[in-house]
Each structure stands twice: as structure tokens, then as C-alpha cells.
Amino acid sequence: MGSTVEGPQGVIPARLLHGQKALVTGANSGIGKATAIGLGRAGADVVVNYVAGREAAEEVVEEIASFGVRAAAYEADVSQEDQVTAMMDRMVKEFGTVDILVANAGLQRDARLTEMTLAQWQKVIDVNLTGQFLCAREAAKEFRRRGVVPEVSRAAGKIICMSSVHQIIPWSGHVNYASSKGGVQMMMQTLAQELAPEKIRVNAVAPGAIKTPINRAAWETAEARQDLLRLIPYDRIGDPEDIANAVVALSSDLMDYVVGTTLYVDGGMTLFPGFATGG
Ligand code: NAD
């Protein structure tokens, strides 16, 4: 596998994804940022998508470029069809193709049911679910056009959907978010079934509680952290690099036979920790 580069959470083989082109949406913050950097460490050229915050996106590009691979920041709102198609066209023109899509962009607009506006519901569905659909559709067209290039990868393309433990854990006060991730699960499985004969691998990563701006309130104070840790058997809150490492592995040929699977990266959050002492 060639030399290795020390990552913040372990060791990523530096040539694991050599010659591959990756697009990560929402890559100027949190999990998307760590994932874009992880893919770059693994030797992929990376497009860093962002919707706001060009400076932060350029910083990610700079860090990725320091690994000796190519990187660029593309602005696009993943919920807008014309912006997604333009982004994919640009990537094919400037990078030649796309081998890995990490459909990561996502947001929350929390409210209890009777206080939730239609706009809050719609925004979350538009970005978290429709955004992944649009990016997956455009990536699949390019994977099909190009087909398998054996020197690059055994697959014609890889799509990793960023889901959440809330694709299976109901979440009071977050019906829009939980519904969007439940939708991502079924979308991912359906696309995996539909595209597998074309050697396109579709999978998901489902993070548990990861320290990022999206859930700052859940880990910022000692009290909130204690509350959160009660839900995590492994007894630590996750770091963005925990998710990045999983995405790098899942998108590599090490996982070539993994199709239509959700990899939970959650410190055991989905193990019904309440039953550890009761039941
Ligand atoms: P974050 O807020 O740090 O990052 C979200 C990114 O998505 C940002 O870069 C944001 O600008 C971008 N984004 C939002 N709307 C967009 C749009 N319309 N077009 C393009 N980009 C857009 O949060 P994060 O925790 O890094 O979240 C990343 C993904 O991980 C999300 O899909 C989230 O649901 C998922 N996730 C996070 C956690 C966690 O604990 N942090 C847990 C489970 C799942």
C-alpha cells in the first residue's frame, strides 16, 4: 500500500485512493471537512463543495493540496438541480471524471411537531434528502459514461451517503431530520440495488454523536456532555476523523464487495444502551 501518513485518529495509507477523484459536499465544516482531508491523505484528488464560507473551503483545499494531490473548492447548493449539474459538469471538465461521491451536506431546523413550520420541514428534506438524490443521480451518469478503469478501481464508482443513527432511532423534536435520514436509508438501498449491476457501489455511513458545529449544544457544556455520554457505550463523543476514516475505507477497494450497507460509526449508540442495566 506504499507509505503511510499519520492521521489525527490513526493511519491512512497514503496511496489507498491514488488516481481517484472525489467530490465531498458540505466539505468546509465538520465531518465533510475531515472526510475531504482524509480522502486527500489517501491520495485522491478532491473537490470541496460548499454553499457558504468560501474562505473555510479554501483552507480545506490548501490542506489537501499539501498532500501532493489536486484540490479545488466549488460553490453549489446541493438542493438546487441546476447548481448540482453545473458542479458535476465542471468537475468532469476540470478533473476528468469523478470516482467517489460523498453526499455529506446536511442541516437541522429543530422544532416540536406543532411548532414546526412547513419551511423548516421542507428545508431539511430539500438539503438532506433531495440534495443527496441530485448528487447521486449526476454522479451515476458519469460513472456509467466512464465505466470501470481497472488501474483506478474495481468499481465504476462509489457513492457514500452520509446518514445518521437517526435513520433508525426516532428523535423527538426533530421529525424533519429523522425523516430525511430514514429516507436516505431507503434511497441508498434502492440505488445500491439498481446500480450494482453497473459496478457502482452505493453505501452509507451513519454517525452517532460527533463533535461538529451541527450539534454544538449537545457537547459544549460538561452537563450536556455527561447526558450525551449516557447514550454512548464506548464512553467518548466521536471526532469528525472517526467518520472520515470510515468513509476512506468504504470508498476503497478494500471494501469492494460491500454494497448497500450502512456502516454505523457511533460508539455503540445503536445498541440500546438503556438495556445495559435494565430489561
Ligand atoms: P456541519 O454543520 O459542520 O456541516 C454541514 C455542512 O453541510 C456545512 O459545510 C454546510 O455548509 C453544508 N451545507 C448545508 N446546506 C448545504 C447546501 N444546501 N448545499 C451544500 N452544502 C450545504 O455538520 P456535520 O456534523 O459535519 O454534518 C455533516 C453530515 O453528517 C450531515 O449530513 C449530518 O446530518 C450528518 N451527521 C452528523 C452527526 C453529528 O453528530 N455531527 C451525526 C449524524 C449525522
Side-chain angles (χ1 to χ4, degrees):
M1 213 65 77
S3 60
T4 55
V5 180
E6 286 292 333
Q9 247 78 48
V11 177
I12 292 179
R15 290 179 59 81
L16 187 65
L17 300 174
H18 176 68
Q20 303 205 41
K21 323 283 179 195
L23 168 62
V24 184
T25 66
N28 62 348
S29 174
I31 290 171
K33 174 179 171 178
T35 297
I37 292 168
L39 292 166
R41 279 184 193 280
D45 297 326
V46 184
V47 168
V48 173
N49 158 258
Y50 69 99
V51 68
R54 159 168 284 278
E55 229 166 74
E58 292 296 352
E59 278 169 26
V60 178
V61 164
E62 229 169 85
E63 186 163 351
I64 295 170
S66 75
F67 306 129
V69 295
R70 241 185 110 186
Y74 288 5
E75 182 181 343
D77 179 337
V78 297
S79 66
Q80 301 300 314
E81 186 173 29
D82 54 341
Q83 295 185 35
V84 172
T85 51
M87 173 169 66
M88 205 61 79
D89 288 350
R90 181 175 169 198
M91 182 163 178
V92 171
K93 206 157 134 215
E94 295 180 355
F95 282 74
T97 191
V98 53
D99 301 281
I100 298 163
L101 164 69
V102 186
N104 165 78
L107 43 73
Q108 292 180 213
R109 293 287 183 271
D110 307 331
R112 298 195 62 80
L113 174 63
T114 49
E115 280 76 52
M116 187 175 287
T117 63
L118 178 58
Q120 286 174 315
W121 167 267
Q122 200 65 55
K123 179 75 179 174
V124 171
I125 299 295
D126 283 352
V127 174
N128 294 14
L129 184 57
T130 308
Q132 293 206 11
F133 157 75
L134 290 171
C135 292
R137 188 187 69 187
E138 294 312 304
K141 288 179 191 168
E142 171 57 16
F143 298 159
R144 176 179 296 153
R145 183 196 67 77
R146 177 184 24 79
V148 176
V149 180
E151 310 82 74
V152 173
S153 175
R154 295 180 73 182
K158 282 85 62 169
I159 296 172
I160 314 279
C161 299
M162 196 56 67
S163 190
S164 164
V165 290
H166 295 295
Q167 70 172 21
I168 56 162
I169 302 179
W171 201 15
S172 173
H174 306 77
V175 66
N176 47 3
Y177 184 84
S179 302
S180 74
K181 297 300 185 181
V184 164
Q185 179 181 30
M186 187 47 75
M187 180 187 74
M188 180 279 288
Q189 289 176 310
T190 300
L191 297 186
Q193 188 193 60
E194 185 169 323
L195 297 173
E198 297 184 70
K199 292 281 177 289
I200 296 169
R201 292 198 295 118
V202 187
N203 290 286
V205 170
I210 311 299
K211 253 177 265 161
T212 75
I214 211 175
N215 58 0
R216 191 178 293 283
W219 51 264
E220 215 166 28
T221 66
E223 203 186 349
R225 267 197 308 278
Q226 254 340 93
D227 265 3
L228 186 56
L229 284 173
R230 271 198 282 276
L231 301 174
I232 308 171
Y234 204 55
D235 202 30
R236 76 168 168 88
I237 301 172
D239 295 307
E241 289 76 15
D242 288 311
I243 306 304
N245 291 347
V247 173
V248 167
L250 200 48
S251 52
S252 80
D253 278 3
L254 289 172
M255 303 269 172
D256 185 58
Y257 208 51
V258 179
V259 174
T261 290
T262 295
L263 178 56
Y264 288 90
V265 184
D266 67 352
M269 191 179 246
T270 42
L271 296 173
F272 298 96
F275 278 78
T277 51

